[in-house]
Amino acid sequence: NASWAQIRVPSAAGPFDIGFNRTASDFAATIAPPANTVGRACLPRLGLGSDSVRVDGVSVPGTRERDYVCVDGLIPKPGRRQLVLLHQ
């Protein structure tokens, strides 16, 4: 039951940095994917009642897949992207 973690994962396109922080009210992930990639991120629901994800502060609809909420079409930008699944 980790409340936070960070990792750098090597890939053919370059390193991929991922981190998360879990609180009682949300699950937040930060990602820094390699340049020139388009990705999909899936956040664990962990009993949180929402399927809405905030990407860099903007609410976007997520797709529920079993115990996860997924967001497609994530494009890298300078710095890190923040994804938050809020408890509702």
Side-chain angles (χ1 to χ4, degrees):
N1 288 345
S3 62
W4 69 274
Q6 290 182 303
I7 189 168
R8 173 171 275 188
V9 180
S11 77
F16 194 128
D17 294 320
I18 308 162
F20 78 85
N21 185 35
R22 179 183 178 190
T23 69
S25 62
D26 67 29
F27 182 93
T30 54
I31 60 172
N36 301 315
T37 61
V38 176
R40 174 178 219 230
C42 296
L43 304 177
R45 293 188 67 235
L46 300 172
L48 301 174
S50 175
D51 289 344
S52 180
V53 177
R54 288 187 168 263
V55 177
D56 300 328
V58 177
S59 289
V60 298
T63 304
R64 186 183 297 190
E65 296 186 18
R66 296 188 201 147
D67 292 332
Y68 295 87
V69 177
C70 300
V71 177
D72 291 308
L74 295 173
I75 298 170
K77 67 172 196 166
R80 299 182 181 272
R81 310 234 33 198
Q82 183 179 40
L83 293 85
V84 179
L85 180 62
L86 300 171
H87 179 73
Q88 289 186 348

